[in-house]
Amino acid sequence: MMAAMPRILITSGPTREFLDPVRFLSNASSGRMGAALAREALRRGYEVVIVSGPVAVDYPPAARVISVVTTDEMLEGCLQVFSDCDGTIAAAAPCDFRPEAISERKIVRSDAGLTLKLRPTPDIIGTLGRLKQSQQWTVAFALETQAGLARAADKLRRKGCDLIVVNDPATLDSPDARVVLLDREGHTRSAEGSKDAVAAAILEEIERRVADWRIR
Amino acid sequence: MMAAMPRILITSGPTREFLDPVRFLSNASSGRMGAALAREALRRGYEVVIVSGPVAVDYPPAARVISVVTTDEMLEGCLQVFSDCDGTIAAAAPCDFRPEAISERKIVRSDAGLTLKLRPTPDIIGTLGRLKQSQQWTVAFALETQAGLARAADKLRRKGCDLIVVNDPATLDSPDARVVLLDREGHTRSAEGSKDAVAAAILEEIERRVADWRIR
């Protein structure tokens, strides 16, 4: 059932994948882009649901926030709400690897070191892309250190997204962002500045295209 | 050269050990215990130098803060200042493993997974324990999930510490703490409550014993 008021699901922040009760794999995602997207979407009259990993940022009180830790939990949170949303912007940086096993006890430091086997975690935006109904849209983020646009175009297709936001690792824990928006037809638009300004550009592109996406 | 005003080095927060430009190993240490110790030490008239990993907490403006990311950098920061300090409280939770190699490029997610070889990082409090002069003291933290006191007593001896603060992983990202202070003679004292209250108990124990430590 679609919401009467248009509703956007925003994923935000990092996830954590634990090796033992103390140590985890993660990344420096701050949740600031997710928070900026939430403020901008609310300003434009959307309802906003945020599924967020552990962050220190404050989300707008008008947004509903589902707090998660691991990538599995982030996917589960998204699946709870996605069918009631018009679309999703996947600004989170979920861990895409996790240890094969989690030690129940803190692993003891040893001079011999440690070999850690990692497995891929579930692909959140890819899963939502497969589940989406014809009236729904998905926007992915791609964090690329090289060959950014070619790799992002491939990701856009594989994951069934409508738009992909390509950014640089320097963006992760910064107040500013520099991104390229890439659509399925290969059109690009650059946006740069504060995360608020970049969030506004992303929402503007989504609103400009959403009528097309719905009749595709 | 000793400072005219007694000076304490406090390590605080987590460190990060990168796999590639985006992903790292870390833990949920918030820096709140380090900040509480810094406030309490300043209140008692000490000069405070904090060597801190990436945290969202605010340290008191009167403290000098050296910001670091990795365990190597935290050790280096400590070595820069330790000889000018009367003692150190190692409240940080540095990563004690790091990947053998750091990939220059973001590791591509693959269904095959990934095998990560980890090596031990330098032992910060153990290194300071070996370097300390007779008038200096070192206080370690031990985060133990089991057999806490026996393991902490062993750590206290091996690392040449004067006192060890044993706490539980639940303390890591919490406003409260429950700790046991253990000295070289096997005496224990429990402290529990806000991190400010526990920080006061730790500084009180240090001040009560420091005259003894100096004549040892």
Side-chain angles (χ1 to χ4, degrees):
Chain A
M1 195 189 75
M2 295 301 299
M5 203 174 180
R7 187 182 292 154
I8 297 185
L9 165 62
I10 297 171
T11 71
S12 182
T15 62
R16 295 174 176 174
E17 298 294 341
F18 282 83
L19 284 59
D20 67 17
V22 175
R23 303 176 179 97
F24 54 71
L25 280 166
S26 193
N27 60 69
S29 173
S30 64
R32 279 188 263 187
M33 178 58 84
L37 287 163
R39 285 191 297 270
E40 180 67 18
L42 288 164
R43 206 182 62 75
R44 287 173 184 253
Y46 294 89
E47 282 187 13
V48 172
V49 184
I50 304 171
V51 178
S52 178
V55 292
V57 83
D58 290 319
Y59 292 117
R64 176 183 166 203
V65 180
I66 300 175
S67 295
V68 299
V69 176
T70 67
T71 300
D72 266 348
E73 291 170 4
M74 184 169 275
L75 176 59
E76 198 184 318
C78 290
L79 292 178
Q80 277 172 27
V81 295
F82 181 61
S83 62
D84 288 332
C85 293
D86 294 79
T88 189
I89 309 176
C95 281
D96 37 18
F97 292 104
R98 71 164 160 234
E100 274 190 8
I102 303 176
S103 171
E104 276 181 41
R105 298 170 173 186
K106 187 178 170 196
I107 299 167
V108 176
R109 188 180 185 285
S110 86
D111 292 340
L114 184 67
T115 298
L116 203 60
K117 292 199 172 177
L118 305 177
R119 287 194 178 161
T121 54
D123 175 0
I124 294 172
I125 190 67
T127 302
L128 300 183
R130 281 193 300 279
L131 290 174
K132 72 178 169 188
Q133 304 296 306
S134 60
Q135 81 286 4
Q136 289 181 297
W137 49 265
T138 52
V139 174
F141 272 60
L143 194 71
E144 300 291 349
T145 50
Q146 44 152 2
L149 279 187
R151 201 187 291 276
D154 178 55
K155 183 172 174 180
L156 178 76
R157 278 187 296 273
R158 278 186 295 113
K159 307 204 172 184
C161 297
D162 299 287
L163 189 71
I164 193 160
V165 182
V166 190
N167 61 7
D168 190 270
T171 297
L172 259 191
D173 192 20
S174 159
D176 297 320
R178 193 169 64 186
V179 305
V180 175
L181 312 182
L182 174 68
D183 72 10
R184 294 171 78 114
E185 286 72 45
H187 300 132
T188 60
R189 169 180 170 181
S190 298
E192 183 171 356
S194 69
K195 286 190 174 173
D196 282 341
V198 170
I202 293 169
L203 265 300
E204 190 182 296
E205 284 301 305
I206 290 170
E207 293 200 331
R208 208 164 63 78
R209 290 146 191 270
V210 72
D212 289 343
W213 292 342
R214 283 198 175 134
I215 56 162
R216 117 208 103 189
Chain B
M1 198 189 74
M2 295 301 299
M5 201 175 183
R7 187 183 291 155
I8 298 186
L9 165 62
I10 297 171
T11 71
S12 181
T15 62
R16 295 175 176 172
E17 297 295 340
F18 282 83
L19 285 58
D20 68 19
V22 175
R23 302 177 180 96
F24 53 71
L25 280 166
S26 194
N27 61 69
S29 172
S30 64
R32 277 188 264 187
M33 179 57 84
L37 287 163
R39 284 191 297 271
E40 180 66 19
L42 288 164
R43 204 181 64 76
R44 288 173 182 253
Y46 293 89
E47 283 187 12
V48 173
V49 185
I50 303 171
V51 178
S52 177
V55 293
V57 82
D58 290 320
Y59 292 117
R64 175 182 167 205
V65 180
I66 300 175
S67 295
V68 299
V69 175
T70 67
T71 300
D72 267 348
E73 291 170 6
M74 185 169 274
L75 176 60
E76 198 184 318
C78 290
L79 292 178
Q80 277 173 28
V81 296
F82 181 61
S83 63
D84 288 333
C85 293
D86 293 80
T88 188
I89 309 176
C95 281
D96 36 19
F97 292 104
R98 71 165 160 233
E100 273 191 7
I102 303 176
S103 171
E104 277 180 40
R105 298 170 173 186
K106 187 179 169 196
I107 299 167
V108 176
R109 188 181 185 286
S110 87
D111 292 339
L114 185 67
T115 299
L116 203 59
K117 293 200 172 177
L118 304 177
R119 287 193 178 160
T121 53
D123 175 359
I124 294 172
I125 191 68
T127 302
L128 300 182
R130 281 193 300 278
L131 291 175
K132 73 177 170 189
Q133 304 296 307
S134 60
Q135 80 285 5
Q136 288 181 297
W137 48 265
T138 52
V139 175
F141 271 61
L143 194 71
E144 300 292 349
T145 50
Q146 44 152 2
L149 279 187
R151 201 188 291 277
D154 179 56
K155 184 172 174 179
L156 177 76
R157 278 187 296 273
R158 277 186 297 114
K159 306 202 173 184
C161 297
D162 299 286
L163 190 71
I164 192 160
V165 183
V166 190
N167 61 8
D168 190 89
T171 297
L172 260 190
D173 192 20
S174 160
D176 297 319
R178 193 170 62 187
V179 305
V180 175
L181 311 183
L182 173 68
D183 72 10
R184 294 170 79 114
E185 286 72 44
H187 300 134
T188 59
R189 169 179 169 181
S190 298
E192 183 172 355
S194 70
K195 286 189 174 174
D196 282 342
V198 170
I202 292 169
L203 265 299
E204 190 183 295
E205 283 301 305
I206 290 171
E207 294 201 330
R208 207 165 63 77
R209 289 146 191 270
V210 73
D212 289 342
W213 292 342
R214 284 200 175 132
I215 56 162
R216 118 206 101 188

